[in-house]
């Protein structure tokens, strides 16, 4: 592991507003910069009562303005929802305002239900144009001639780093074919992680943007002074995910000590599997669990995320996690 980063969905806790969530995002980003995280990524979701990062490029700009050194980006933008030129202009503008600090991760999923996807896209194309759209978007960031009929201004010549995001084999194959860095959404869909990373690494084709494979894997982390407190804090995310899976999305719930009363065993089994790429506990426990993940999958970078109702506890979790990952990174370098 060369670097460690932080993914934030700007969760809206029960009893709080979207404004509260966005203020917490800025505060957490400032803290992440102090703690030594390399990137701070935000994700595009729509029509979800518990997530405030729908206008992802705007939130990225807000975070970048409040910080000074940490890279800020999208993990990711759901490209089928947008015209490539629009995204090129948005992220070209961000890269112009905050040079050398902006990342663009691209996903193929809608980031919403199909009714919302239709509302976003207006016209649902039957064909899958994602690979072509990615290439078109990258082209707008390249050095383009003034004679080009369509240019992203700002955008042209900014060379914004583009990532492919995925939770299946499709993204791994595309990232390898295009010679782009690859991020796997193992924090909520770990089933194909090992196979996807193997395909990406074995079929990677070097490009002008990347000479050799670069893998980022995601993990959920909830760290606290004790194992018991961490388990209690993580109950919010488990309950929120269970409600989402059963068609009842909402704000991030208060933590509970009675999860078994809230979540039926079959649903809990699904939730535990989906969120199994994770670490929960004290610093010592989280260290052991993260080392196991890193040893198993050997990512170049780890991006962590955690949905914790209390903002101060979320900042503290990020601090403990950064201390653990910083230690693991140093030992890796020394070895």
């Amino acid at each position: 592991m060369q670097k460690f980063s932080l993914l934030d969905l700007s969760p809206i806790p029960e009893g709080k507003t979207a404004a509260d969530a966005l203020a917490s995002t800025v505060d957490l980003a400032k803290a992440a910069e102090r703690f030594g995280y390399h990137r701070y990524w935000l994700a595009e979701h729509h029509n979800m009562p518990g997530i405030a990062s729908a206008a992802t490029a705007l939130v990225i700009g807000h975070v970048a303005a409040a910080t000074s050194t940490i890279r800020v980006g999208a993990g990711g933008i759901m490209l089928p929802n947008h015209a490539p030129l629009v995204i090129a202009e948005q992220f070209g503008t961000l890269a112009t305002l905050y040079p050398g600090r902006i990342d663009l991760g691209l996903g193929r999923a809608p980031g919403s239900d199909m009714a919302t996807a239709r509302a976003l896209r207006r016209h649902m194309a039957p064909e899958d144009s994602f690979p072509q759209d990615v290439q078109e978007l990258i082209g707008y960031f390249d050095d383009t001639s003034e004679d080009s009929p369509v240019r992203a201004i700002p955008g042209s010549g900014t060379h914004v780093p583009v990532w492919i995001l995925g939770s299946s084999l499709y993204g791994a194959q595309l990232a390898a074919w295009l010679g782009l860095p690859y991020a796997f959404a193992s924090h909520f869909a770990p089933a194909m992680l090992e196979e996807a990373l193997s395909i990406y690494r074995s079929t990677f084709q070097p490009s002008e943007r990347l000479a050799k494979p670069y893998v980022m894997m995601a993990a959920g982390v909830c760290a606290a002074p004790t194992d018991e407190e961490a388990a209690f804090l993580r109950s919010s995310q488990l309950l929120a995910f269970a409600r989402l899976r059963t068609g009842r999305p909402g704000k991030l719930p208060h933590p509970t000590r009675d999860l078994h009363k809230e979540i039926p065993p079959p649903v809990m089994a699904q939730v535990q599997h989906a969120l199994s790429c994770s670490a929960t506990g004290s610093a010592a426990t989280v260290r052991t669990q993260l080392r196991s993940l890193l040893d198993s999958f050997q990512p170049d970078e780890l991006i962590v995320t955690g949905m914790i109702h209390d903002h101060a506890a979320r900042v503290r979790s990020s601090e403990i996690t950064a201390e653990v990952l910083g230690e693991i990174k140093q030992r890796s370098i020394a070895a």
Side-chain angles (χ1 to χ4, degrees):
M1 181 189 67
Q2 302 172 27
K3 301 178 178 71
F4 55 90
S5 299
L6 193 61
L7 171 66
D8 178 21
L9 305 185
S10 292
I12 307 173
E14 288 180 347
K16 301 289 185 179
T17 66
D20 296 323
L22 293 170
S24 293
T25 280
V26 169
D27 185 68
L28 182 61
K30 291 179 178 178
E33 188 170 72
R34 295 195 306 271
F35 299 155
Y37 287 92
H38 181 63
R39 309 176 204 274
Y40 194 94
W41 276 10
L42 294 129
E44 177 185 352
H45 293 80
H46 299 280
N47 195 30
M48 298 189 71
I51 294 179
S53 57
T56 315
L58 290 177
V59 184
I60 288 170
H62 190 50
V63 168
T67 53
S68 57
T69 58
I70 195 169
R71 296 191 68 90
V72 188
I77 291 293
M78 301 300 108
L79 190 55
N81 294 338
H82 313 278
L85 177 60
V86 172
I87 299 303
E89 290 171 339
Q90 290 176 358
F91 280 79
T93 299
L94 288 168
T96 301
L97 293 170
Y98 310 102
R101 294 181 58 206
I102 301 300
D103 299 322
L104 174 56
L106 299 174
R108 179 169 164 251
S112 60
D113 58 88
M114 291 313 296
T116 306
R118 289 188 181 92
L120 284 164
R121 303 181 194 177
R122 310 306 295 172
H123 302 287
M124 300 291 285
E127 71 279 0
D128 181 4
S129 61
F130 184 65
Q132 293 79 15
D133 289 347
V134 171
Q135 291 174 295
E136 179 184 343
L137 176 52
I138 290 173
Y140 290 130
F141 292 139
D142 289 340
D143 297 317
T144 55
S145 167
E146 293 184 3
D147 297 331
S148 298
V150 181
R151 301 170 65 205
I153 303 172
S156 178
T158 56
H159 304 284
V160 174
V162 172
W163 294 64
I164 299 296
L165 278 55
S167 58
S168 68
L169 306 184
Y170 180 96
Q173 294 165 336
L174 181 61
W177 179 60
L178 293 176
L180 296 175
Y182 179 52
F184 194 91
S186 36
H187 60 300
F188 73 88
M192 295 186 182
L193 173 60
E194 184 173 6
E195 188 176 1
L197 298 194
S198 176
I199 287 174
Y200 171 69
R201 287 166 170 153
S202 63
T203 63
F204 180 85
Q205 300 181 39
S207 69
E208 292 182 358
R209 289 178 165 260
L210 192 64
K212 61 182 181 178
Y214 191 94
V215 166
M216 178 193 288
M217 67 174 285
V221 180
C222 185
T226 67
D227 289 352
E228 293 75 17
E229 182 181 350
F232 174 65
L233 294 173
R234 189 172 185 250
S235 66
S236 293
Q237 182 169 9
L238 296 175
L239 185 53
F241 202 82
R243 289 176 177 175
L244 179 64
R245 280 291 177 96
T246 54
R248 298 177 295 137
K251 292 186 175 182
L252 182 65
H254 290 278
T256 177
R257 300 190 189 279
D258 296 314
L259 268 180
H260 65 284
K261 294 182 180 179
E262 297 267 4
I263 307 175
V267 177
M268 177 60 85
Q270 295 176 14
V271 170
Q272 294 284 15
H273 174 71
L275 303 181
S276 60
C277 190
S278 62
T280 303
S282 64
T285 301
V286 165
R287 183 181 298 110
T288 299
Q289 294 172 347
L290 289 180
R291 275 181 179 162
S292 177
L293 288 173
L294 293 169
D295 288 344
S296 295
F297 300 105
Q298 297 290 312
D300 300 289
E301 188 167 340
L302 180 70
I303 189 164
V304 298
T305 186
M307 305 279 271
I308 297 174
H309 187 277
D310 179 73
H311 176 63
R314 186 162 69 127
V315 173
R316 180 62 179 138
S317 175
S318 300
E319 182 177 20
I320 294 169
T321 303
E323 291 169 356
V324 167
L325 290 173
E327 175 191 311
I328 292 174
K329 177 183 173 183
Q330 289 304 316
R331 289 190 176 185
S332 176
I333 292 172

